[in-house]
């Protein structure tokens, strides 16, 4: 929907360079119950997709993430680690789109974030 959402994601980029684990914080008030959550993360550079990543965070059974089971209207405050291999991004401006879906078909979108990542030197 076009109504402003209360959503905040914090990551301190300068302190994450060359670290194997990144610390992140999330504050969000979802507009629907979260029993199933699939995240689609896309990075675009100069009109071409530079990175695409999909992850099923909540499936309704044995979910390990604190976001799973959050009810509509509850304020979710969570900190978590981002682990895994790092992608090296050359200097430039990147369009980043993060979408969350409440079904595997990616028809029912719960959230959509569109922001610009500015890499000032070859890093990550």
């Amino acid at each position: 929907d076009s109504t402003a959402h209360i959503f905040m994601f914090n990551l301190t980029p300068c302190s994450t360079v060359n670290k194997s684990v990144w610390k992140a914080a999330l504050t969000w008030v979802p507009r629907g119950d979260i029993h199933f959550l699939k995240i689609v993360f896309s990075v675009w550079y100069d009109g071409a997709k530079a990175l695409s990543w999909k992850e099923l965070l909540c499936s309704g059974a044995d979910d390990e993430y604190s976001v799973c089971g959050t009810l509509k209207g509850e304020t979710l405050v969570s900190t978590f680690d981002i682990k895994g291999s790092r992608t090296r991004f050359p200097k430039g401006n990147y369009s980043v789109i993060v979408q969350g879906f409440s079904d595997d078909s990616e028809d029912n979108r719960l959230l959509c974030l569109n922001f610009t990542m500015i890499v000032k030197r070859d890093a990550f």
Side-chain angles (χ1 to χ4, degrees):
D1 61 31
S2 62
T3 307
H5 287 253
I6 299 171
F7 188 92
M8 185 170 43
F9 178 77
N10 292 316
L11 180 71
T12 308
C14 293
S15 67
T16 62
V17 175
N18 299 322
K19 303 262 179 158
S20 61
V21 178
W22 296 357
K23 300 290 185 185
L26 172 69
T27 302
W28 181 31
V29 179
R31 296 220 170 126
D33 297 347
I34 301 176
H35 301 292
F36 184 98
L37 180 60
K38 180 180 185 179
I39 297 294
V40 177
F41 182 87
S42 303
V43 178
W44 296 82
Y45 177 73
D46 202 21
K49 191 177 280 188
L51 176 70
S52 182
W53 172 71
K54 294 181 181 187
E55 184 74 26
L56 181 62
L57 298 183
C58 307
S59 64
D62 297 328
D63 296 318
E64 67 177 277
Y65 298 101
S66 61
V67 67
C68 304
T70 301
L71 300 177
K72 175 182 178 178
E74 287 183 337
T75 300
L76 170 73
V77 178
S78 181
T79 58
F80 55 93
D81 294 340
I82 300 174
K83 302 174 186 173
S85 63
R86 299 290 174 253
T87 300
R88 297 187 77 71
F89 292 102
K91 185 165 62 170
N93 293 351
Y94 296 81
S95 295
V96 181
I97 300 171
V98 180
Q99 298 178 88
F101 296 95
S102 63
D103 63 353
D104 199 37
S105 67
E106 301 176 17
D107 287 334
N108 297 311
R109 187 170 34 212
L110 284 174
L111 69 97
C112 182
L113 301 173
N114 184 351
F115 58 93
T116 300
M117 175 176 73
I118 301 170
V119 178
K120 294 184 178 184
R121 61 184 177 144
D122 291 343
F124 287 47

